[in-house]
């Protein structure tokens, strides 16, 4: 088939070693990665990487065109990012995916993202979990986070739950926020539905 008709073809990609940088952020595969394409589907069998001191695992399937192949929700492309809050923020900033505020932060974080729909117009849903952490902005006293959990779906930050302290104050938040309020900090191009 001609190169312009690649969607009718099949391919398999095996990457045994990869090391690179995004700005100051070192990126390397932890284990060999494998992906295949055929029948309008990209199938990532395994992709384990280290983004600085942050771990990334990717696996699952996504359709390349709409209308096209259908991917069952259980088989959707998923990415799990785990690390320290400071290192995750550095990885996001280096990637250019979002604007990251200039803060000092430490504590465990896990982000599970699910990508469905065709590659041309993906739909992203995610769950964020931040454990006991501290965040400092400029010379202000640190905010101590006991818990921060949230889900992203359909243009909303859902099931937002925060328990934190600042100086002698305690803060508890339980709510829902429209994502469009953060538009200036999100990537352009429709990766996340507003």
């Amino acid at each position: 088939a001609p190169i312009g008709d690649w969607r009718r073809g099949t391919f398999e990609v095996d990457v045994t070693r990869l090391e690179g940088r995004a700005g100051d952020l070192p990126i390397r595969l932890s284990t060999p990665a494998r992906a295949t394409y055929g029948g309008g589907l990209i199938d990532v069998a395994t992709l384990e990487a280290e983004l600085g001191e942050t771990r990334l695992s990717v696996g699952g399937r996504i359709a390349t065109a709409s209308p096209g192949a259908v991917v069952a929700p259980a088989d959707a492309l998923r990415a799990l990012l785990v690390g320290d809050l400071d290192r995750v923020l550095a990885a996001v900033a280096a990637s250019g995916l979002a604007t990251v505020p200039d803060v000092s932060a430490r504590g465990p974080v896990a982000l599970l993202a699910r990508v469905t729909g065709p590659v041309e117009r993906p739909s992203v849903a995610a769950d964020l979990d931040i454990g006991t952490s501290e965040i400092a902005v400029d010379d202000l006293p640190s905010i101590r986070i006991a818990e921060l959990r949230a889900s992203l779906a359909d243009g909303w930050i859902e099931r937002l739950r925060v328990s934190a302290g600042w100086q002698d104050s305690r803060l508890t938040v339980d709510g829902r926020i429209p994502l469009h309020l953060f538009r200036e900090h999100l990537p352009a191009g429709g990766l996340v539905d507003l």
Side-chain angles (χ1 to χ4, degrees), residues 99-171:
T99 304
V100 176
D102 187 18
V103 297
S104 170
R106 68 174 188 260
V109 63
L111 175 69
L112 173 63
R114 295 163 306 285
V115 184
T116 58
V119 170
E120 295 127 355
R121 183 79 173 122
S123 178
V124 178
D127 296 308
L128 174 67
D129 191 350
I130 297 177
T132 303
S133 304
E134 279 194 27
I135 298 174
V137 179
D138 297 324
D139 293 331
L140 296 174
S142 296
I143 299 169
R144 292 171 313 285
I145 297 174
E147 170 189 50
L148 189 154
R149 289 194 172 135
S151 295
L152 168 71
D154 301 322
W156 286 85
I157 298 172
E158 302 271 358
R159 296 186 300 275
L160 174 64
R161 184 172 177 187
V162 181
S163 177
W166 186 65
Q167 294 186 321
D168 292 328
S169 303
R170 295 215 19 90
L171 170 69

